[in-house]
Amino acid sequence: MKISSYTASGLATGTMPSMSLSVKGMNGTTKITQKSSSQNKKKKLNYNPREISSAILRANKSQSAGRVAVQAKSKLINLQKCKGTGQYDEGELNLAIAHAKRMVQCAKMKTQNLRQEERSKKRYEKEAKAELRQEKNEIKARVARKERNLEQKSNIEHMQRVQKQKSQKRELMRKKKFHRSQEQSKLNEADMNYLKQQLRGLREPYSASRSFSAGVAVDLSAEAMRLAEVQMEQQLAEAQIEQQIAQQMAVGMGEVATMAGNGGSAAPAASVTASIDVVI
């Protein structure tokens, strides 16, 4: 038996080629065809479904979530390129592509949510800072107003103390003058009573002589005139005292009114005036 020729044919899909053998014998040509084929093994799909999902869960900022979204999209493109090559199992490849699409959607959603949260956080922080700044300004304003009020109150109290001291001094001076005048009046009254008794005694029949009585009467008349002059001077002094006190009261009331007009309240001024009236 002599082999004269052979042919081989196959597919590009990875199957073994089929072989045709022609055997020429003595009785003629006999064609023997032997076909050998076996299915080619598929490549293992290198896709980890937990890789992208874990990266999405770990992302806590919009930038990191955006990078994960880009990575998921790159995975999806690679899987789509593998489709149609015949090197991978089509069912497994379709499942991987569907999962990769979902991962891209989840990554985009995580990115958008994180961006929204970050914008809200910035807005809230800005509002909180503005409110804190406003609160500090209000506190400063209240402190400034309180300081001004305390200063005004301190000035009013100082003026009240000054007016009180002046009033006390005027009252003491008035009392001194009044007491001295009262004492002088009592002394003059005693002297007048003494002179009257002497004059009454001179009218008695047991007086010594007429000439002596006349001399004593002249002396008593002179003393009476002197006492009358002293009483007049005393009355003039008392009138002057009352006039000075009235002028001082008018000056004190004017000072209190000026103080009230410069920022003090009217109530303290009224209280000062009332206290002066009561003391006087």
Side-chain angles (χ1 to χ4, degrees):
M1 183 173 67
K2 182 179 179 180
I3 300 174
S4 58
S5 63
Y6 73 92
T7 60
S9 64
L11 299 176
T13 59
T15 59
M16 292 294 294
S18 61
M19 298 179 66
S20 299
L21 296 177
S22 299
V23 179
K24 185 180 290 185
M26 294 178 62
N27 297 326
T29 302
T30 304
K31 186 177 181 180
I32 302 174
T33 301
Q34 183 179 2
K35 186 176 182 181
S36 175
S37 64
S38 63
Q39 189 177 3
N40 188 21
K41 292 183 178 180
K42 302 291 183 179
K43 290 183 179 180
K44 184 178 180 181
L45 187 62
N46 187 16
Y47 179 74
N48 184 5
R50 293 185 176 274
E51 180 182 359
I52 301 299
S53 61
S54 299
I56 293 173
L57 292 175
R58 287 194 303 270
N60 54 6
K61 293 183 180 180
S62 59
Q63 294 180 353
S64 58
R67 288 193 294 268
V68 174
V70 173
Q71 185 181 357
K73 192 172 183 180
S74 177
K75 288 280 186 182
L76 177 60
I77 292 173
N78 292 333
L79 290 173
Q80 289 175 344
K81 287 181 179 179
C82 293
K83 191 175 183 180
T85 60
Q87 297 178 2
Y88 304 95
D89 183 78
E90 291 295 328
E92 184 180 0
L93 186 59
N94 290 332
L95 290 175
I97 290 174
H99 185 269
K101 287 181 179 179
R102 288 181 177 274
M103 291 298 100
V104 172
Q105 294 175 355
C106 292
K108 289 181 178 180
M109 182 175 66
K110 183 74 176 285
T111 303
Q112 293 176 357
N113 291 339
L114 288 174
R115 285 176 181 173
Q116 184 179 2
E117 293 171 5
E118 289 172 356
R119 287 194 296 268
S120 299
K121 183 180 179 181
K122 288 181 180 179
R123 186 173 69 253
Y124 295 153
E125 289 178 350
K126 186 177 180 180
E127 291 177 357
K129 289 181 180 179
E131 291 175 356
L132 181 61
R133 185 166 53 253
Q134 183 178 1
E135 184 178 358
K136 288 182 178 179
N137 293 333
E138 290 178 356
I139 292 173
K140 290 180 180 179
R142 286 198 299 269
V143 170
R145 287 195 299 269
K146 187 175 181 180
E147 289 178 353
R148 288 195 298 270
N149 293 334
L150 289 175
E151 184 178 0
Q152 292 177 356
K153 185 177 180 181
S154 177
N155 292 334
I156 292 172
E157 290 177 352
H158 175 70
M159 293 298 296
Q160 289 177 348
R161 287 194 299 270
V162 171
Q163 293 299 325
K164 184 177 179 181
Q165 291 174 0
K166 290 182 179 180
S167 176
Q168 290 175 347
K169 289 180 179 179
R170 287 194 297 268
E171 177 64 16
L172 181 60
M173 183 176 62
R174 189 187 70 83
K175 285 184 178 180
K176 286 182 178 180
K177 291 183 178 181
F178 177 75
H179 290 161
R180 300 294 88 77
S181 176
Q182 189 179 22
E183 293 166 359
Q184 186 66 36
S185 177
K186 292 295 182 182
L187 291 174
N188 293 336
E189 184 180 357
D191 291 340
M192 290 293 292
N193 290 332
Y194 176 73
L195 292 174
K196 288 178 180 180
Q197 293 295 332
Q198 282 187 342
L199 290 172
R200 190 176 294 112
L202 290 175
R203 294 191 186 97
E204 294 296 330
Y206 303 102
S207 57
S209 63
R210 186 178 184 85
S211 60
F212 176 77
S213 298
V216 172
V218 172
D219 293 338
L220 292 176
S221 300
E223 185 67 19
M225 292 177 64
R226 185 184 68 79
L227 291 174
E229 291 177 356
V230 170
Q231 286 181 351
M232 291 180 63
E233 291 177 357
Q234 182 180 356
Q235 292 177 357
L236 290 174
E238 290 179 355
Q240 291 178 356
I241 291 171
E242 295 296 336
Q243 185 177 3
Q244 290 177 359
I245 291 173
Q247 291 177 355
Q248 291 174 356
M249 287 178 61
V251 172
M253 291 176 66
E255 292 178 354
V256 173
T258 303
M259 175 187 62
N262 292 331
S265 60
S271 63
V272 173
T273 305
S275 64
I276 293 174
D277 292 340
V278 172
V279 172
I280 293 174

